[in-house]
Amino acid sequence: MSQLEIKDLHIAIGEKEIVKGFNLTIRQGEVHAIMGPNGTGKSTLAKAIAGHPDYTITSGDVLIDGRSILALEPDERARAGIFLAFQYPSEIPGVSIANFLRGAVQARLAEGDELDATAYYKRLYSKMDLLKIDRKFTSRSVNDGFSGGEKKRCEILQMAMLEPLFSLMDETDSGLDIDALRIVADGVNAMRGPKLGILLITHYQRLLDYIVPDQVHVMWDGRIVKSGDKSLALELESKGYDWVKTELVHA
Ligand code: ADP
Ligand code: MG
């Protein structure tokens, strides 16, 4: 079983330190939720792990099965098993979802290997069935004019096709109405299993009504300040983030 280890990670944007000693280990099969107020570094953490060039890792390490991924380019990290679902996915007019995903899957193959079209569509349709996505969906341009829910559905289909070891999902609930939220949650739950480790970043407790995490972590000022089971999310919902702050001051 693979594990993703985030060890005493410090991340800066320019001169400013945003993530200040973040520690977490995620094993395949586990779902960890990170909650925290806006501006606390949740997105910074996810993007830096995926290899976004704006973020500098100043110290600490990120390892998959004991091997650091920090020297790898973003595409190599993806091939090593990391998937990042964006908070705000890009629109790619003129490129159909079917072709986009085909390119993404092809890029995973070894040099010179050609993706078999029949096998690809078979896999695509089985994933779409699993996620209850209409076949017509894949002929549309990637995220072009999509609703918030459709964009998230497209991200989740990508994740299903790429079969990562670890998926970092950043505010998958942002901009979603309650029906769309359910669709996304159902998708994540459909893919949940022993082969996938999930880091679910959310600002709201409501997503966790549908996706029940194994562990909940509260992030504050760039690090985890509290961890617990799903009841911690409920406690946060009723007491608010100020409660955590007050506890910290008195600790
Ligand atoms: P969260 O996702 O928890 O709301 P972020 O990681 O987005 O927090 O942001 C943490 C801090 O880093 C904020 O103060 C934000 O303004 C700053 N920040 C994030 N991304 C950038 C960027 N690309 N350039 C400059 N500052 C940034
Ligand atoms: Mg964010």
Side-chain angles (χ1 to χ4, degrees):
M1 184 193 298
S2 287
Q3 64 174 26
L4 175 69
E5 259 177 294
I6 307 167
K7 274 191 175 164
D8 195 23
L9 202 63
H10 291 251
I11 306 166
I13 304 171
E15 297 289 292
K16 195 173 163 214
E17 183 168 67
I18 307 287
V19 171
K20 307 168 182 175
F22 188 98
N23 288 288
L24 184 64
T25 297
I26 302 169
R27 290 171 196 83
Q28 274 180 298
E30 294 176 348
V31 178
H32 292 253
I34 294 191
M35 305 186 70
N38 275 326
T40 206
K42 303 184 299 297
S43 297
T44 298
L45 175 77
K47 287 192 233 176
I49 294 172
H52 194 296
D54 287 356
Y55 304 86
T56 312
I57 293 179
T58 51
S59 67
D61 211 345
V62 180
L63 311 106
I64 296 178
D65 298 331
R67 289 174 53 196
S68 176
I69 61 165
L70 294 186
L72 304 180
E73 295 297 324
D75 63 311
E76 295 170 323
R77 295 187 196 194
R79 254 174 269 143
I82 301 281
F83 178 81
L84 174 65
F86 288 108
Q87 186 171 0
Y88 303 108
S90 304
E91 302 188 359
I92 317 176
V95 177
S96 73
I97 291 178
N99 280 334
F100 175 73
L101 290 176
R102 194 169 168 171
V105 173
Q106 171 75 52
R108 288 290 185 96
L109 301 180
E111 192 97 19
D113 276 3
E114 200 55 47
L115 185 64
D116 177 71
T118 314
Y120 166 71
Y121 276 100
K122 197 171 162 215
R123 177 143 149 239
L124 178 63
Y125 290 145
S126 83
K127 299 293 185 187
M128 290 177 74
D129 291 345
L130 176 75
L131 299 171
K132 302 194 180 69
I133 296 175
D134 195 286
R135 296 274 156 97
K136 287 197 291 255
F137 191 66
T138 52
S139 56
R140 294 177 61 185
S141 290
V142 177
N143 292 321
D144 191 15
F146 281 20
S147 68
E150 287 170 334
K151 284 185 181 175
K152 298 301 177 180
R153 198 182 259 155
C154 187
E155 292 282 299
I156 286 177
L157 180 59
Q158 248 181 83
M159 171 166 120
M161 287 302 284
L162 293 176
E163 296 179 341
L165 298 173
F166 301 101
S167 184
L168 316 173
M169 310 193 70
D170 192 6
E171 300 211 342
T172 301
D173 48 346
S174 73
L176 298 188
D177 60 34
I178 203 76
D179 289 339
L181 188 82
R182 270 215 101 116
I183 292 166
V184 170
D186 288 349
V188 170
N189 286 331
M191 286 178 52
R192 199 169 174 169
K195 288 185 180 164
L196 179 64
I198 298 179
L199 183 66
L200 192 64
I201 296 172
T202 181
H203 184 71
Y204 305 104
Q205 195 273 329
R206 55 183 185 148
L207 182 64
L208 306 183
D209 289 339
Y210 303 113
I211 303 171
V212 179
D214 298 300
Q215 282 186 52
V216 175
H217 312 279
V218 182
M219 191 167 173
W220 187 279
D221 195 24
R223 61 176 80 87
I224 290 175
V225 293
K226 208 172 174 58
S227 296
D229 61 14
K230 62 179 185 201
S231 63
L232 178 58
L234 295 171
E235 208 168 356
L236 271 175
E237 179 78 348
S238 65
K239 296 182 180 172
Y241 287 114
D242 281 346
W243 159 66
V244 179
K245 197 161 90 184
T246 315
E247 280 213 337
L248 283 178
V249 171
H250 294 290

